[in-house]
Amino acid sequence: MPPDDNPHDNLHEHVRQNLIAGTLDPQEFFEAVAEHSHNGLIGVHYVNHGDDWVELAIDYQDHLIGDRETGILASGPIVSLCDMGSGMAIMLTTKRFFQTVTIDLRVDYLRPAKVGASVTARMQCYRHTRNIAFVRGQAHDGDRASPIAQVSGTFMFLETMK
Amino acid sequence: MIRLPPYAEALKIETQRDADGRLVLTMPFGNHVAGRPHFLHGGAIAGLLEIAAILTLIDALGEQHPQIKPITITTDYMRGGREKLTYAAATISRLGNRMANVEISAWQDSEDKPIAAARINFLLARE
């Protein structure tokens, strides 16, 4: 498929240019990417970011429920949220638009998210080498001091960092 | 057949049994599970793996209905998921009174070439 026919490729070029110019706007990025992907299904939205971290959130939605009896969210959307946040944290840290693939992601569920509450994940890229990025983070449902999940993951760059 | 949770319906997951009676889940490709261009989203794969684990546990527990609470989930991504149907099936390594250890694998072309695998440790909360 020629690049011009793929909305993803145009979007990625736009993000790449913004990264080079130091003007990447994570909020704009998420709004653009949302309708094209799984992130749109779960409704990931941008909250905040810093030099090496980003905060993303999902609202409580009926189609994300994992247990009909309790109404508790499935863990899948929370993993997705952390996965997406990891990729973004890596881009912010490296200031490069290298695509990453997940090698492994571990999530410890400290307690269930409150029914009806939004879930916010703060992911930080705390180390990267030419090939690999290391990410850690936490998810909470309103109170950062009382996290619902602890997350760590490793990611590989599709191109080796020069 | 077991009633699917809403998130499984949102992923358009369907269940079937193979010749050995094992529960096998399928998830079609679509925008709803897309990640980077032309590939499945890692989160959608993790969702499929988790649902395969839970349905297999419910199946094995029969008349028992403890609350099934995931405590730790470790997902390994081995191949990029392409724009095609994805399968998943789970094996229960140990089914105890309070804990269940489950290994799950997802594949597309053939089961011996998994695209991802996960281990989930569940707490079985009984009344």
Side-chain angles (χ1 to χ4, degrees):
Chain A
M1 188 188 286
D4 289 351
D5 291 351
N6 186 339
H8 268 109
D9 292 343
N10 289 334
L11 172 70
H12 287 171
E13 179 57 22
H14 178 64
V15 171
R16 196 177 68 81
Q17 292 297 339
N18 280 340
L19 269 167
I20 292 166
T23 55
L24 178 72
D25 180 348
Q27 183 157 18
E28 182 190 34
F29 176 71
F30 285 113
E31 283 168 6
V33 88
E35 54 192 277
H36 297 295
S37 68
H38 183 64
N39 300 306
L41 175 75
I42 66 170
V44 176
H45 54 91
Y46 164 82
V47 179
N48 201 354
H49 79 280
D51 287 343
D52 64 351
W53 59 270
V54 67
E55 252 177 30
L56 306 178
I58 48 172
D59 291 330
Y60 183 87
Q61 298 158 82
D62 288 344
H63 68 272
L64 304 183
I65 291 171
D67 183 339
R68 286 182 196 276
E69 281 177 29
T70 59
I72 292 169
L73 290 182
S75 61
I78 298 171
V79 176
S80 295
L81 179 69
C82 296
D83 192 69
M84 183 71 180
S86 299
M88 199 71 226
I90 293 166
M91 274 196 253
L92 287 165
T93 305
T94 58
K95 303 203 169 17
R96 307 273 188 95
F97 183 60
F98 281 167
Q99 287 193 49
T100 51
V101 291
T102 315
I103 299 172
D104 82 299
L105 193 68
R106 168 167 170 140
V107 184
D108 291 353
Y109 291 101
L110 309 176
R111 62 175 178 80
K114 291 187 204 87
V115 172
S118 299
V119 174
T120 304
R122 181 176 176 135
M123 303 302 298
Q124 178 201 16
C125 175
Y126 65 95
R127 159 124 183 110
H128 67 89
T129 66
R130 280 180 304 157
N131 291 298
I132 306 292
F134 299 85
V135 173
R136 63 188 167 204
Q138 286 191 332
H140 68 81
D141 57 359
D143 178 7
R144 185 171 296 158
S146 174
I148 60 167
Q150 177 78 36
V151 185
S152 67
T154 52
F155 294 77
M156 184 173 65
F157 298 110
L158 284 180
E159 307 163 63
T160 302
M161 183 110 44
K162 293 277 166 18
Chain B
M1 201 48 98
I2 302 157
R3 192 178 179 206
L4 295 177
Y7 181 58
E9 291 177 353
L11 293 177
K12 301 186 177 151
I13 286 173
E14 292 182 5
T15 61
Q16 58 190 63
R17 298 218 181 248
D18 68 9
D20 302 324
R22 184 178 62 151
L23 201 60
V24 177
L25 277 65
T26 56
M27 181 175 78
F29 188 83
N31 259 352
H32 67 299
V33 292
R36 68 192 164 93
H38 315 301
F39 287 91
L40 272 174
H41 193 290
I45 299 173
L48 171 67
L49 293 167
E50 185 214 3
I51 291 157
I54 289 175
L55 295 185
T56 303
L57 265 181
I58 290 172
D59 204 29
L61 285 161
E63 293 303 304
Q64 306 169 51
H65 300 288
Q67 244 191 299
I68 298 171
K69 297 179 168 182
I71 305 301
T72 62
I73 170 165
T74 310
T75 311
D76 290 333
Y77 295 92
M78 292 175 274
R79 292 178 176 84
R82 306 308 302 240
E83 295 165 294
K84 53 173 94 167
L85 191 68
T86 306
Y87 300 85
T91 305
I92 301 172
S93 317
R94 178 177 177 270
L95 182 53
N97 196 40
R98 299 181 66 197
M99 290 294 304
N101 306 79
V102 185
E103 293 179 18
I104 321 100
S105 161
W107 69 93
Q108 292 186 323
D109 297 319
S110 100
E111 192 171 352
D112 57 15
K113 286 189 176 153
I115 60 165
R119 267 182 346 100
I120 310 183
N121 300 323
F122 290 98
L123 174 68
L124 306 176
R126 299 174 194 262
E127 294 295 306

